[in-house]
Amino acid sequence: MHERDVVVVGGGVIGCSIAYYLAKRGARVTVLERDLIGAHASSAAAGMLGAQVEMAAPGPMSELCMKSRSMFPDLASELYRLTGIDIELIRAGILRIAWNEEEAEMLRKRGAWQRDRGETADWWDKDRVRSVEPEVSDQIEGALYIPGDSHVSSSRLTRAFSYAAELLGAELIERCEVTALRAGKDRIERVESDRGTFQAEHVVLAAGAWSASLAGKLGLRLPVVPIKGESLAVYPRKELFERTLFAEGCYLVPKADGKVIVGATERAGDFTEWVTMDAIRQLTSEAVRLVPELANSTFIRAWSSIRPGSPDGLPYIGRFGRFRNLFVATGHFRNGILLSPITGQRIAELIAGEEVPDLKPFSPDRLST
């Protein structure tokens, strides 16, 4: 029997962030990952920190996203100092493209509430956009320019969290499938796996789209919606644009090594791991519509992953069910990379017994009845 302070089930970016923030506080943490660290959605993500570009309206979700985005500059330095891994935080901003007047009007309204909140979100007409990014199609109506949104390398971020957690004393066990959480009256007493049994003061369920089935074995309802996303990467022959371009139909993220990530489809309820020809056709067609010169770029590869969503679009972060030592962190959908620092920090605070009022809207029990 392995005895630890905390067992984290799931070694994606969320589980590794939780392990890092707990290990910083001196907790003895073990992360159990069924496959390899970051093997699923965490490494597949384009790495956008879209606290503004993804948010249609103000509310608890946009507030949590803004707080988490603000953590990245210091986090990037901290992780680099500890691990030598550069998470490639690129702060060139995002252009949220409008193809027609209807989309333009929606984005102007979005910009207005974001400015009211104190953020920068400027409407640029087509000529302004093309003066800055001349390769963008002349068929667009304009764009909302969001300088505060940025992006990182999702695989490097996950690796940096996991490595930093290990350096601070955490244990990460790969190829370890959790088969059951054994419960007493009001607490989880042990975690059973194909690599042995683990006992801990606290257990965190951070297994992404697979969290629901483990919760179900405890008789708890955790409505996680699996949403398959397919993406691809290309190498342009020269640098075509500096900022991330986000339009209806696709987004284009120019990475530090010169490649461009084109994402992403959304197929709810799909647990299959293959990439369809239809997805490649759809993504390439939308990418070339937005930046015609991309037609001449070199195709590198395509991939897919299963992102964990929720029926109301909010993640699940907090204590769960009748068990006083069980916590959940999943359901982040397209914002797992963005929300990883604040999720890790907040779960560590909860486990330490601190009050965390900004998590109330994200309670894992909110949809359980």
Side-chain angles (χ1 to χ4, degrees), residues 32 35 95 105 125 128 153 156 166 174 187 242 255 259 271 292 319 339 360-361:
L32 306 179
D35 297 308
L95 283 166
E105 185 54 32
D125 64 19
R128 176 82 191 274
S153 162
R156 281 169 170 262
E166 280 188 303
E174 297 178 311
R187 65 189 310 278
E242 184 188 356
K255 305 308 281 187
K259 72 173 178 278
F271 263 111
R319 197 185 305 273
L339 288 173
K360 282 193 174 67

Side-chain angles (χ1 to χ4, degrees), residues 170-222:
E171 175 186 32
L172 278 70
I173 305 176
E174 297 178 311
R175 306 279 187 209
C176 175
E177 182 163 9
V178 171
T179 50
L181 304 177
R182 297 294 175 199
K185 188 171 69 134
D186 66 347
R187 65 189 310 278
I188 305 299
E189 294 184 340
R190 60 189 189 277
V191 178
E192 294 179 356
S193 80
D194 58 6
R195 300 273 297 273
T197 300
F198 298 81
Q199 207 165 18
E201 282 297 308
H202 306 280
V203 176
V204 183
L205 188 51
W210 294 271
S211 301
S213 60
L214 282 170
K217 290 179 181 179
L218 288 168
L220 297 173
R221 182 168 178 266
L222 185 68

Side-chain angles (χ1 to χ4, degrees), residues 221-223 316-320 328 362-368:
R221 182 168 178 266
L222 185 68
Y316 302 110
I317 310 169
R319 197 185 305 273
F320 187 32
V328 170
F362 307 100
S363 165
D365 295 315
R366 70 183 185 273
L367 302 174
S368 61

Side-chain angles (χ1 to χ4, degrees), residues 282-294:
Q282 181 188 326
L283 291 171
T284 50
S285 151
E286 291 292 341
V288 170
R289 179 188 177 205
L290 187 51
V291 178
E293 188 56 34
L294 277 174

Side-chain angles (χ1 to χ4, degrees), residues 40 209-210 224-230 265-276 278-279 304-309 333:
H40 296 283
W210 294 271
V224 179
V225 182
I227 304 170
K228 176 176 169 176
E230 296 146 297
T265 61
E266 287 180 19
R267 301 176 194 273
D270 188 343
F271 263 111
T272 62
E273 292 179 11
W274 54 76
V275 178
T276 63
D278 186 52
S304 77
S305 70
I306 314 300
R307 298 166 295 192
F333 185 33

